[in-house]
Amino acid sequence: MVSGNSPSIGNLDGLDVAARLVGDRWSLRLVGALLDGERTFGELAGEVNGIAPTILTARLRMLQRVGLLTATPYETRPVRMRYSLTAPGHRLAAAIATLAEWGGAREGSPGAPVHGRCGTPLVTRPWCPTCDEPVDRREDAAGEGLQWF
């Protein structure tokens, strides 16, 4: 059995919180669709294939309620909104991009965004903003690798 603080898995309590907030495919896909910028209801309906309008409305309201996106009216009669990610929503979108990269690799297709200049798929990796350098996922002898608390 794996404990919640296992160094190989990380803090599962944080993962539980994330799963409760956006643990369904529609929420993940909506946040991913908003990564490139604001969208209207109709634009989101067109980008997230297969989502019913009632589900789209419910997920947008839930994502607003938990503070991951904002809705700004652009018409008043009838009221029509543009949806955009908040700062926490952008942080989640980065994690979703990593999940898409992983899922794409498992299916043999590119799931990661690519570098516009050279077309190389981007790789997500841990980065220490204090040291301004990447952190190796493996523990080294000095214990300076990636650690979970």
Side-chain angles (χ1 to χ4, degrees):
M1 188 162 126
V2 177
S3 78
N5 292 322
S6 168
S8 63
I9 303 282
N11 184 341
L12 293 180
D13 293 340
L15 188 56
D16 288 341
V17 170
R20 276 195 312 274
L21 290 175
V22 291
D24 66 88
R25 70 180 178 147
W26 299 120
S27 296
L28 292 174
R29 292 178 65 196
L30 286 169
V31 172
L34 289 166
L35 185 57
D36 291 334
E38 68 181 17
R39 301 280 191 277
T40 64
F41 185 94
E43 290 169 337
L44 287 168
E47 283 188 43
V48 181
N49 294 330
I51 190 168
T54 54
I55 299 296
L56 177 54
T57 299
R59 292 308 183 274
L60 289 171
R61 287 181 180 160
M62 184 273 301
L63 292 168
Q64 280 181 267
R65 203 171 38 255
V66 298
L68 297 176
L69 62 83
T70 60
T72 307
Y74 68 94
E75 283 185 17
T76 55
R77 289 189 180 232
V79 176
R80 295 180 193 246
M81 308 292 233
R82 289 192 193 282
Y83 299 92
S84 60
L85 294 175
T86 61
H90 277 285
R91 289 196 63 213
L92 174 61
I96 290 172
T98 301
L99 282 171
E101 173 189 336
W102 177 80
R106 294 209 24 112
E107 295 297 315
S109 65
V114 296
H115 187 223
R117 189 174 352 161
C118 68
T120 301
L122 301 178
V123 176
T124 305
R125 55 193 294 198
W127 186 268
C128 177
T130 302
C131 300
D132 197 25
E133 63 184 34
V135 177
D136 192 348
R137 292 183 186 271
R138 293 168 288 148
E139 287 287 330
D140 57 17
E144 296 176 351
L146 184 62
Q147 298 178 8
W148 294 93
F149 295 99

